[in-house]
Amino acid sequence: MSAQQLVLRQRAELVRALCCGGSSEGLESILDLLLSWGALVWEDYLNVCVAGKTLCSRTRELLDLAYSKGESTCCLLLAALSHVLPDAQKDNLRFGKCSNIQNSLEMPTSATLTLLSDRPDLVTQLRNCVEGALGILVEKGFITSSECEEIQLPVYTSSQQVRRLLDLVKCKGEVAAEVLLQFSKRIQKTVVPPNKNDTFTMSASVAEYQKKLCSSISAQSHFLSTYSDTGKFSLDDIYTEGLLELGQTSTQKSLNLEDVVGPVGTLNMEADTVLVSGEAGSGKSTFLQRLHLLWARKTVLHNYLLLFPFSCRKLNTEQQDLSLKELLFLHCCWPDRDQDQLFQFILDHPHLVLFTFDGLDEFKQTFSDDQRHCCPTQPAPMPVLFFNLMQGSLMKGVRKLVTSRTEAVPPILRQYLRKEVLLKGFSPDGIDCFVRKHHSDPGVASHVLESLWSNTALLGLCHIPVFCWIVSKCYKELLGFGNSGPQTITDVYLMVLQHFFHHRISKGNRLGKGWVQQHFDTIMRLGKLALQALENSHYIFSETEVQNGGVTEEDISKGFLIQSKNISFDGIHYEFLHVTMQSFFAALFIILDSNSNNHHTIKRLFQTPRPEGCLGILQAKKYDGPSTENPNLQITSTFVSGLLSKRHQSLLLQCHPIQTLNKKRKQVVKCVSRGMQNHFKSIPRPVKGEKKSMHAMPGFVWLIKCIYEMQDSEVAKNVVATLEVEHLKLTYCNIGPLECTALAFVLQHLQSPVGLQLDSNSVGDVGVEQLLPCLHVCHSLYLRNNNISDEGIAKLVEKGIQCQTFKKIALFNNKLTDVCTQHFAYLLKTKQNFLSLRLGNNNITAAGAEQLAEGLRCCQSLQFLGLWGNNIGDKGAEALSHALEDSRTLVWLSLVENGVGSAGAQALARVIRNSTTLDELWLSKNCITRDGVEYLVQALEKNSSVTSIWLRGNNLSPEEVEEFSLRESRLTF
Ligand code: ADP
């Protein structure tokens, strides 16, 4: 197709590509190139740039002009477009053969012509020093100071100022042009060319707005809402670093706050949206709040001049169509003057601007990319605006940081993500640090920590900051209970409920057993408000809504509802202290309300669609309960299960007849059991020769948590009675200590042993401990990539040696050191049916290998030993070889990437010589030389069991590799 036809046929797309961001920089850069290539003459340029025309009409003018000028101009236009447009916008455009046109013009013969031919470069070179250039021209009398002021009008971006300067100097004659060119040459020599992204001139009004934005953000983020009643802690006092990790990677490197926005872990360079995901209460809002506060103090993210914080909760309340400009200024911070100029600055410098959106999961509409909206000044409904911002059609180049509950991230959004960061809550050290910050009295802090460590189920819960906050807040209720203290999330929320009521009761009138009854009306009023709102993804309540819900001043004074601190609202607005609190009240209402309709509510809450047609993994996706649509209903259902636990019956019986409670309980048990059955039915039949394996869907973990909340072993037993799998796969399922507790509670009742695969979760040492009750039904445990240290292994081994069926463990990529090898040596000595030990990618050295060898010497069962990616060296390889020399069971050994040299190979040769069972030996990526391989070859002559020895990446020349390959076909290079 000719260039002319391409321009004509793609007219709409080209207009969109050049106008979608709202900035004229793209069009102007194209004009620069066309002038410099001689494709446009000066008059053409002036015709396109007539003052007062909109960006779109200037673009159309240019397209018409190029078309009328013919094939060669169109070809140059397409070349310029290909040069200027970002890659993402080029994807759907065709440039024919024009995209690689080089400038083949002759050398310009005068200074004024050079201004034209070098125009694109001059714009880049001079935009950082317009003032200097103007100064010289004024000094030499070529331009007047009023011309100078006009060029520097703050409505123009620095690039536009240069263009205006070039246009002016062109009319001032050869000498003026010469002076400007000389100035440009001089600065080229002295100044390192600035990074394209760093150049800008901040006008006074932008600076003023930045100041206003900083002080408003600083004021909003100074306190955490959960401490609003005490006024005791500022964010600085209490903020504790949470664990931040990159999603979709097997390396568990902790990120810092700036890394989240920075380049680390970028998967899609074209996308602008960074997602921070985590569970409810894992600290997403607090993380953003911290980031806002530090930015406002200019401590972090210096690259971003302007930060616009949005809350999806608040965006939900927006009924009107808004333009992007209105969205920024109305929802974040109103500029006192020069709105247009300020907005233009934002459009022209997208890389200096950061948008944050808290709580994507709380946005009413689900993400959709059906409706494109590119124009920043045209109003659109809020969802359209929001989705186009995230997806990148609107404000391309502005970095957007969005937080969401992991389970609520819509799959279609993923293609627009630059990267995903997981917020995994507190580490055990984080819990320690938080509790110490919370309690200024070190004695009390130690006391609280002691009771946490004596109740590991509760400790597991405290990895989620919101639970940690409650536990710290209710420390008086907690102390002294040890293991009989709260075990489930429902226990924790009942504790905080009691704490709040207790707190607000005058002295001498302590809460007795009947405290739920005493506060029944308040609970019901708040519960009704909470449930109705949750069902509609509603989280902020106006005063009228609160009053219409019958909520009284006194109810509010209890502290569960707090005033929304978003200052840009008209009038007072309320929200629950945390969304989990809203879910808890909704659950209380469902349980305590005697209305028969609640039967349907429970049914809906636990709804899991029936299987359709043939069974298979795809169908299994459907059994996710209420999760993806509204994750808060999922938490509500967990609380409903917990409140129906027999342990809380006496508390609730005060205000509800036992028959109704039992009926509701039966219904929930039925729903949960049916949900589990649906999961099991979705397991595909095993392929012949393979194990029957089930890959759990997120809904599976939710159901397991509901059963745990009920704390009824009979329910757990019945539910798993029919599960017949040999392998249960729960990789990348966000399993932390809390989920481990629930899993163990249910899985311990399995009828026959399984392989439990929990790779790439956040199990940690506390989670390992929580899993121990189900270790006796695990023949294999896969815990790759789980932040486990030697401490966790000590406990695991202690229990493991008592479990007859436990035979295999995989711990690739954790935080293990030589210390863990003592425990494994003990296990190998003690447990004579252990089959497989995989410890790859940890920090085990020669000393660790020597310890392990102690165990191996006495072990008569081990078949698989994996130490890939440690650092055992020759010494370690020798120690292991001595221990394995007489093994009659070893089938597979990997010492890949361990710094093993020829001495190590010599020792391993003795294992090969003696073994009748060894099948594969992996020695790739070591430093074995010719001598070492010689030993291996000679040993192979005496061995018939080995099928391959892997030696790729050792110290051998290509000739040596060829020679050995010919001599021994079982060597693989
Ligand atoms: P999310 O947004 O993930 O639901 P939040 O950020 O609202 O969670 O956290 C809930 C509560 O947990 C906060 O109000 C605060 O009390 C506590 N919290 C969360 N993260 C931290 C943190 N990093 N340091 C201290 N407290 C935290």
Side-chain angles (χ1 to χ4, degrees):
M1 201 184 288
S2 73
Q4 237 177 338
Q5 277 173 318
L6 282 173
V7 169
L8 191 65
R9 298 236 173 126
Q10 301 183 99
R11 186 179 167 87
E13 290 83 0
L14 292 175
V15 172
R16 195 160 52 219
L18 282 174
C19 306
C20 71
S23 161
S24 56
E25 184 57 32
L27 176 67
E28 287 173 19
S29 302
I30 286 169
L31 289 169
D32 292 343
L33 282 171
L34 294 177
L35 280 174
S36 112
W37 293 341
L40 297 186
V41 293
W42 193 243
E43 288 71 26
D44 297 332
Y45 170 72
L46 294 179
N47 272 339
V48 173
C49 294
V50 175
K53 273 196 204 165
T54 64
L55 177 59
C56 287
S57 56
R58 276 184 287 154
T59 307
R60 290 196 186 99
E61 183 84 37
L62 173 64
L63 297 180
D64 293 345
L65 184 68
Y67 186 80
S68 65
K69 280 180 151 260
E71 179 66 15
S72 63
T73 310
C74 285
C75 200
L76 288 168
L77 173 67
L78 290 172
L81 279 158
S82 158
H83 196 84
V84 167
L85 289 177
D87 289 344
Q89 278 176 313
K90 284 198 286 198
D91 278 353
N92 299 324
L93 293 173
R94 289 168 60 202
F95 299 95
K97 296 194 184 91
C98 306
S99 55
N100 291 323
I101 286 189
Q102 297 294 320
N103 179 7
S104 56
L105 281 185
E106 289 159 19
M107 286 292 285
T109 49
S110 70
T112 32
L113 286 176
T114 311
L115 285 189
L116 275 186
S117 65
D118 290 0
R119 188 175 170 97
D121 292 339
L122 286 168
V123 170
T124 319
Q125 282 157 18
L126 293 173
R127 67 182 160 192
N128 239 9
C129 41
V130 188
E131 223 173 322
L134 287 169
I136 287 191
L137 291 164
V138 173
E139 195 187 302
K140 299 212 181 248
F142 293 114
I143 59 173
T144 65
S145 45
S146 72
E147 284 172 325
C148 181
E149 274 167 25
E150 212 169 289
I151 285 178
Q152 280 188 297
L153 280 178
V155 282
Y156 302 118
T157 65
S158 42
S159 302
Q160 286 171 327
Q161 290 180 5
V162 180
R163 290 189 186 104
R164 291 173 65 78
L165 171 66
L166 293 174
D167 298 353
L168 182 69
V169 171
K170 187 177 170 296
C171 318
K172 299 280 178 180
E174 269 299 294
V175 190
E178 191 67 50
V179 169
L180 185 59
L181 287 172
Q182 272 167 11
F183 174 80
S184 150
K185 269 192 203 131
R186 243 193 354 265
I187 56 143
Q188 233 178 309
K189 278 189 201 143
T190 52
V191 179
V192 183
N195 176 346
K196 186 177 158 215
N197 287 344
D198 290 337
T199 55
F200 63 89
T201 321
M202 187 160 60
S203 67
S205 49
V206 176
E208 196 178 290
Y209 183 69
Q210 187 197 37
K211 213 164 146 196
K212 185 173 180 189
L213 198 55
C214 283
S215 72
S216 118
I217 290 180
S218 179
Q220 280 183 52
S221 40
H222 201 67
F223 286 102
L224 272 172
S225 51
T226 35
Y227 295 96
S228 56
D229 62 332
T230 59
K232 214 165 104 192
F233 296 106
S234 69
L235 187 63
D236 288 326
D237 296 331
I238 197 70
Y239 187 80
T240 307
E241 298 284 338
L243 284 170
L244 283 163
E245 284 170 14
L246 286 173
Q248 284 148 3
T249 146
S250 53
T251 49
Q252 293 197 317
K253 189 177 164 287
S254 218
L255 304 180
N256 65 34
L257 195 129
E258 294 222 47
D259 287 338
V260 172
V261 186
V264 188
T266 300
L267 294 174
N268 179 358
M269 290 294 284
E270 298 302 327
D272 300 320
T273 302
V274 174
L275 172 72
V276 175
S277 66
E279 285 182 44
S282 60
K284 300 178 295 294
S285 309
T286 310
F287 164 79
L288 270 194
Q289 198 172 325
R290 182 74 179 155
L291 185 128
H292 295 159
L293 185 66
L294 294 183
W295 174 82
R297 285 183 186 152
K298 302 198 164 44
T299 322
V300 298
L301 304 173
H302 304 281
N303 294 346
Y304 295 98
L305 276 192
L306 300 174
L307 186 153
F308 292 92
F310 297 98
S311 134
C312 292
R313 274 185 181 196
K314 190 171 169 228
L315 295 183
N316 275 340
T317 62
E318 186 62 67
Q319 305 293 331
Q320 286 176 6
D321 286 11
L322 291 183
S323 71
L324 178 74
K325 186 170 154 193
E326 289 162 331
L327 174 73
L328 295 186
F329 296 159
L330 286 175
H331 275 254
C332 292
C333 176
W334 184 257
D336 296 322
R337 63 187 177 107
D338 302 331
Q339 282 114 26
D340 291 340
Q341 180 202 340
L342 190 62
F343 189 59
Q344 192 59 46
F345 178 86
I346 294 167
L347 294 179
D348 288 344
H349 302 92
H351 55 281
L352 301 177
V353 183
L354 177 67
F355 291 175
T356 66
F357 296 94
D358 192 21
L360 168 67
D361 48 276
E362 292 187 352
F363 198 69
K364 260 189 194 143
Q365 271 86 354
T366 0
F367 179 83
S368 122
D369 65 353
D370 291 347
Q371 206 176 330
R372 287 281 186 277
H373 176 83
C374 313
C375 180
T377 48
Q378 208 178 331
M382 183 53 65
V384 174
L385 222 50
F386 178 40
F387 298 150
N388 277 279
L389 276 169
M390 283 202 292
Q391 178 257 17
S393 306
L394 201 53
M395 292 307 288
K396 181 92 204 134
V398 169
R399 188 63 45 86
K400 294 112 189 168
L401 189 59
V402 185
T403 69
S404 174
R405 301 263 277 282
T406 318
E407 65 273 27
V409 179
I412 51 162
L413 174 66
R414 294 205 177 271
Q415 61 185 305
Y416 302 114
L417 292 184
R418 192 173 175 83
K419 63 176 166 186
E420 179 173 357
V421 175
L422 309 178
L423 184 50
K424 298 193 159 179
F426 292 153
S427 65
D429 287 346
I431 296 176
D432 192 282
C433 172
F434 176 84
V435 171
R436 289 185 195 284
K437 282 185 174 184
H438 197 110
H439 298 282
S440 50
D441 179 344
V444 175
S446 306
H447 229 74
V448 173
L449 287 165
E450 260 168 45
S451 31
L452 276 184
W453 285 99
S454 67
N455 177 351
T456 47
L458 189 59
L459 182 67
L461 284 174
C462 285
H463 284 74
I464 304 296
V466 74
F467 304 148
C468 202
W469 163 72
I470 294 179
V471 166
S472 283
K473 193 171 178 68
C474 306
Y475 74 100
K476 283 193 183 137
E477 284 84 349
L478 180 78
L479 292 181
F481 278 102
N483 231 338
S484 59
Q487 303 279 311
T488 64
I489 306 179
T490 313
D491 296 350
V492 168
Y493 277 72
L494 278 171
M495 181 170 79
V496 74
L497 196 68
Q498 187 173 11
H499 175 91
F500 271 57
F501 286 136
H502 184 163
H503 232 63
R504 320 233 166 201
I505 284 178
S506 55
K507 271 192 188 155
N509 183 11
R510 290 181 65 84
L511 279 165
K513 271 209 140 196
W515 64 270
V516 171
Q517 194 173 27
Q518 207 175 332
H519 295 279
F520 183 75
D521 293 340
T522 302
I523 292 174
M524 294 306 277
R525 285 190 291 263
L526 290 176
K528 191 171 178 189
L529 184 76
L531 179 64
Q532 284 175 350
L534 266 192
E535 286 179 328
N536 298 306
S537 300
H538 194 64
Y539 306 96
I540 301 185
F541 311 95
S542 66
E543 253 185 319
T544 329
E545 282 171 318
V546 169
Q547 278 160 11
N548 290 347
V551 177
T552 64
E553 288 276 327
E554 207 200 323
D555 298 338
I556 295 174
S557 74
K558 300 286 183 255
F560 301 108
L561 270 186
I562 51 164
Q563 268 192 33
S564 174
K565 64 182 171 182
N566 204 315
I567 54 171
S568 53
F569 272 126
D570 294 333
I572 297 176
H573 283 72
Y574 295 95
E575 53 196 333
F576 278 88
L577 206 47
H578 189 255
V579 67
T580 46
M581 196 70 93
Q582 185 173 347
S583 299
F584 184 60
F585 271 100
L588 279 166
F589 183 78
I590 294 170
I591 301 298
L592 296 178
D593 184 33
S594 45
N595 186 333
S596 58
N597 255 348
N598 277 343
H599 176 76
H600 296 292
T601 314
I602 291 181
K603 204 167 159 199
R604 253 187 309 124
L605 217 49
F606 288 90
Q607 209 160 34
T608 52
R610 295 183 149 276
E612 302 161 5
C614 69
L615 305 175
I617 202 85
L618 283 176
Q619 271 74 27
K621 280 212 164 89
K622 293 179 178 162
Y623 310 138
D624 276 356
S627 63
T628 37
E629 283 298 304
N630 186 342
N632 292 317
L633 292 180
Q634 206 181 53
I635 303 183
T636 309
S637 59
T638 317
F639 283 132
V640 164
S641 313
L643 288 168
L644 289 170
S645 161
K646 287 189 180 141
R647 296 147 77 236
H648 301 310
Q649 219 169 46
S650 62
L651 192 66
L652 303 183
L653 271 179
Q654 298 157 10
C655 22
H656 215 56
I658 183 136
Q659 293 84 351
T660 333
L661 276 183
N662 278 342
K663 212 168 134 195
K664 286 181 182 172
R665 198 182 129 76
K666 258 192 197 154
Q667 194 193 355
V668 169
V669 171
K670 203 167 140 192
C671 290
V672 170
S673 310
R674 191 171 291 162
M676 284 297 245
Q677 292 313 318
N678 282 345
H679 252 89
F680 300 157
K681 279 185 200 152
S682 73
I683 306 170
R685 283 200 194 90
V687 179
K688 216 174 167 200
E690 275 187 18
K691 288 186 174 153
K692 188 166 182 188
S693 157
M694 180 180 121
H695 194 148
M697 300 295 140
F700 177 77
V701 181
W702 158 63
L703 289 169
I704 292 270
K705 277 160 106 173
C706 290
I707 298 169
Y708 175 70
E709 288 295 312
M710 294 184 118
Q711 288 286 299
D712 188 333
S713 303
E714 277 309 306
V715 175
K717 225 181 261 175
N718 291 337
V719 154
V720 292
T722 54
L723 178 60
E724 279 176 30
V725 284
E726 291 163 79
H727 192 91
L728 194 54
K729 194 168 171 185
L730 288 146
T731 51
Y732 290 103
C733 281
N734 277 320
I735 293 185
L738 192 161
E739 287 74 19
C740 289
T741 315
L743 269 175
F745 181 81
V746 177
L747 296 183
Q748 61 180 306
H749 299 293
L750 280 172
Q751 308 272 313
S752 48
V754 290
L756 183 57
Q757 189 170 356
L758 293 168
D759 299 335
S760 299
N761 284 296
S762 321
V763 171
D765 292 341
V766 181
V768 167
E769 198 174 346
Q770 294 307 298
L771 286 173
L772 299 183
C774 72
L775 199 60
H776 67 281
V777 288
C778 296
H779 53 68
S780 325
L781 191 54
Y782 302 85
L783 288 167
R784 302 174 184 110
N785 232 354
N786 262 305
N787 256 323
I788 296 166
S789 78
D790 303 323
E791 238 173 275
I793 296 306
K795 295 195 172 124
L796 182 76
V797 167
E798 194 186 330
K799 175 77 198 248
I801 51 176
Q802 299 159 19
C803 300
Q804 179 62 17
T805 37
F806 176 54
K807 291 178 183 162
K808 292 180 182 176
I809 184 134
L811 286 158
F812 182 84
N813 209 23
N814 279 288
K815 297 188 298 184
L816 307 181
T817 72
D818 290 336
V819 176
C820 84
T821 57
Q822 284 172 20
H823 307 301
F824 283 121
Y826 179 59
L827 176 119
L828 292 170
K829 271 186 206 167
T830 327
K831 206 170 154 31
Q832 288 300 334
N833 66 349
F834 205 73
L835 297 178
S836 174
L837 178 60
R838 296 181 191 246
L839 299 172
N841 223 24
N842 282 292
N843 301 308
I844 298 169
T845 69
E850 281 167 5
Q851 304 224 44
L852 210 53
E854 289 291 310
L856 287 169
R857 198 163 293 135
C858 315
C859 172
Q860 267 132 48
S861 57
L862 197 77
Q863 295 178 352
F864 299 86
L865 178 60
L867 284 163
W868 182 71
N870 283 285
N871 191 19
I872 66 163
D874 276 333
K875 245 175 117 190
E878 283 167 349
L880 291 178
S881 304
H882 283 136
L884 291 167
E885 251 172 53
D886 299 322
S887 166
R888 294 284 158 262
T889 51
L890 188 72
V891 173
W892 186 94
L893 174 64
S894 169
L895 299 179
V896 172
E897 220 178 351
N898 257 293
V900 177
S902 293
Q906 184 177 8
L908 285 163
R910 282 197 295 277
V911 180
I912 298 170
R913 204 182 297 264
N914 293 347
S915 178
T916 54
T917 49
L918 187 64
D919 178 28
E920 282 187 42
L921 176 59
W922 286 79
L923 291 171
S924 317
K925 295 191 187 169
N926 279 299
C927 38
I928 302 168
T929 60
R930 180 184 180 91
D931 293 346
V933 182
E934 191 67 52
Y935 290 118
L936 296 175
V937 171
Q938 285 170 19
L940 279 174
E941 285 167 14
K942 304 269 182 297
N943 176 297
S944 57
S945 70
V946 172
T947 55
S948 48
I949 299 182
W950 296 78
L951 283 162
R952 198 166 291 160
N954 277 285
N955 289 352
L956 299 166
S957 67
E959 295 75 29
E960 287 168 336
V961 167
E962 200 177 333
E963 178 198 326
F964 282 122
S965 305
L966 288 174
R967 271 176 64 190
E968 177 54 69
S969 62
R970 286 178 285 173
L971 300 183
T972 308
F973 293 97

